[in-house]
Amino acid sequence: LSRDTAALEALDELSLKAEFPQIRNGAVAALQSAADERGLSLEELLDELVPALGFSAQGVRVFDYGRRRLIVRLDAALELSFETEAGKTVKNLPSPGKTDDPEKAAASYEAYKGLKKKIRAVVARQRSRLRAAFASGRCWNAETWQRLFVHNPLMRPFVLSLIWGTYEDGRLVTAFRYMEDGSFTTVEEEEYTLPEGARVGLAHPVELGEEACAAWKRQLADYEIIPAFPQLSRHAYPLPEGIGACRRLETFGGKILNGRSLSNRLRGMGWSRGETDEDGEYNCFYREEPAQGLGIVLRISGNSIWDEDETVTVYDGAFYRTGGAGKPGEPEEDRILALGQLPARYYSEAIYQLTRAPAPSIETDPDWKDR
């Protein structure tokens, strides 16, 4: 209900860091309510919460002490430097002096004291959001992308250290890198012009292919650029040949493992347990991406919320279009998609998560289909 962005920023932090799923889900629900009230999507609302912390697009913030003003600069590595109006470099922002205006100097110094902590908090939050955008394949229109990333000094390090791409109908058209001089370059280091109205998102290894990934890695290494997160080293899982028409994912079928381990790993990656019966029993996990209209369900032999330490057998999985009248994680048959209908990134990220979820597997049941 608050119009103060600090309240929304606190909710955003809770949605990412709260220990209990109920609190994280409650924070997301509150943010969604605020977004609905403003006529925005949840992602658009969170975009608007990215602060510049008083810095100009050039990374400059002026602290007014009355008779003098101190200039603080934020560089591409998010390090602060200090200088006087005359251009003299100083080690730090000084404490208010006798000749300074008491109110202005005290307010400026107090604002500065929490600045480094705020920068760290913003960067951590936005790194988490970018990881999620990378996994989901979120795109921005070119104008919004430049406003959010290029012209915000706290976001520029992200845009400088990652590989981006233009997209049409969810497919990568051209991968590019943004350079400090404001230009764009391709993997061949040829100048690139970002088309007006283009859809821009983070490129994924499964879309780039091994050869292009290796070339981009060499380019970043040549320029001594450290990515904000391991984008190009993300393991890619292309759809295997010959299974595009399959409507069931059987890659992990038959694995027998500890139920609590599976539950903790999947829920820690944003999955939910299926609905429970009157005895607290459930037989699936699911994850939905409303923005993409896609979901995935993984069926298991069954477990109980009261004692998840029992061993369970993983059955099969299915990808589906969200919506419809089915219960969460129980899509109607006509909503289940063939594997070949899925965006390459969505399939790759699902397999990436599921590959990490079943470990450590105790053994495999070869007769799981019969069961």
Side-chain angles (χ1 to χ4, degrees), residues 28-336:
V28 171
L31 286 167
Q32 184 63 65
S33 177
D36 292 342
E37 191 148 318
R38 292 160 174 77
L40 301 171
S41 70
L42 177 57
E43 290 175 329
E44 289 170 337
L45 174 69
L46 295 176
D47 283 343
E48 298 303 319
L49 297 183
V50 182
L53 298 183
F55 287 97
S56 69
Q58 292 72 41
V60 175
R61 179 170 175 177
V62 177
F63 288 86
D64 189 356
Y65 277 45
R67 292 186 63 183
R68 58 177 175 157
R69 299 197 307 168
L70 284 303
I71 298 167
V72 177
R73 298 185 186 276
L74 183 69
D75 64 21
L78 296 175
E79 296 293 333
L80 298 176
S81 60
F82 311 88
E83 61 185 59
T84 66
E85 281 187 288
K88 180 182 177 181
T89 300
V90 292
K91 290 185 177 180
N92 210 333
L93 201 72
S95 301
K98 294 181 180 180
T99 60
D100 295 321
D101 182 290
E103 290 187 8
K104 287 184 177 180
S108 287
Y109 192 68
E110 190 65 27
Y112 164 71
K113 283 198 299 184
L115 188 59
K116 287 187 177 180
K117 184 177 179 180
K118 288 180 180 178
I119 290 173
R120 287 195 298 269
V122 170
V123 169
R125 196 156 60 237
Q126 297 311 314
R127 181 178 281 110
S128 294
R129 290 192 62 222
L130 276 176
R131 284 177 181 268
F134 169 69
S136 68
R138 187 190 174 193
C139 288
W140 297 261
N141 68 56
E143 182 181 348
T144 301
W145 177 78
Q146 295 207 54
R147 175 172 60 83
L148 291 174
F149 294 98
V150 175
H151 302 312
N152 185 324
L154 273 73
M155 299 302 290
R156 272 177 62 83
F158 292 115
V159 75
L160 287 167
S161 71
L162 297 168
I163 306 304
W164 302 81
T166 56
Y167 287 81
E168 288 182 7
D169 299 323
R171 296 185 179 278
L172 177 66
V173 178
T174 304
F176 67 87
R177 185 168 69 85
Y178 177 77
M179 312 241 283
E180 280 204 58
D181 63 3
S183 64
F184 304 92
T185 187
T186 66
V187 70
E188 294 86 9
E189 299 204 45
E190 296 176 351
E191 189 171 349
Y192 175 69
T193 300
L194 186 64
E196 288 187 17
R199 301 286 295 168
V200 179
L202 286 159
H204 193 282
V206 76
E207 302 163 338
L208 293 168
E210 292 184 9
E211 188 176 330
C213 260
W216 278 120
K217 285 180 182 179
R218 286 194 298 271
Q219 188 176 133
L220 292 178
D222 289 345
Y223 287 90
E224 299 182 340
I225 294 172
I226 300 174
F229 60 85
Q231 174 191 19
L232 298 176
S233 58
R234 180 74 144 205
H235 196 96
Y237 294 89
L239 184 70
E241 292 184 13
I243 69 167
C246 296
R247 300 175 76 242
R248 298 287 174 180
L249 180 69
E250 300 183 354
T251 307
F252 307 96
K255 285 189 176 291
I256 301 173
L257 53 136
N258 178 270
R260 186 178 299 279
S261 173
L262 177 64
S263 179
N264 288 344
R265 286 170 181 267
L266 283 175
R267 292 167 66 196
M269 292 187 285
W271 292 60
S272 301
R273 288 185 299 226
E275 288 199 3
T276 56
D277 61 20
E278 63 272 13
D279 297 320
E281 300 279 339
Y282 64 93
N283 59 15
C284 73
F285 292 92
Y286 70 94
R287 175 170 181 161
E288 295 185 345
E289 297 285 353
Q292 294 175 274
L294 294 172
I296 178 174
V297 59
L298 181 72
R299 298 195 302 161
I300 61 173
S301 56
N303 206 353
S304 169
I305 61 172
W306 308 119
D307 182 13
E308 289 191 306
D309 278 319
E310 296 295 322
T311 57
V312 300
T313 302
V314 176
Y315 288 165
D316 59 7
F319 295 89
Y320 59 92
R321 293 190 303 275
T322 55
K327 296 178 182 178
E330 299 180 22
E332 303 96 324
E333 280 296 317
D334 63 352
R335 289 187 170 271
I336 294 177

Side-chain angles (χ1 to χ4, degrees), residues 7-18 20-35 42 45-46:
L8 298 175
E9 289 170 13
L11 282 172
D12 184 25
E13 189 163 356
L14 272 179
S15 72
L16 294 170
K17 294 184 178 180
F20 300 106
Q22 297 95 324
I23 297 177
R24 293 198 300 270
N25 294 340
V28 171
L31 286 167
Q32 184 63 65
S33 177
L42 177 57
L45 174 69
L46 295 176

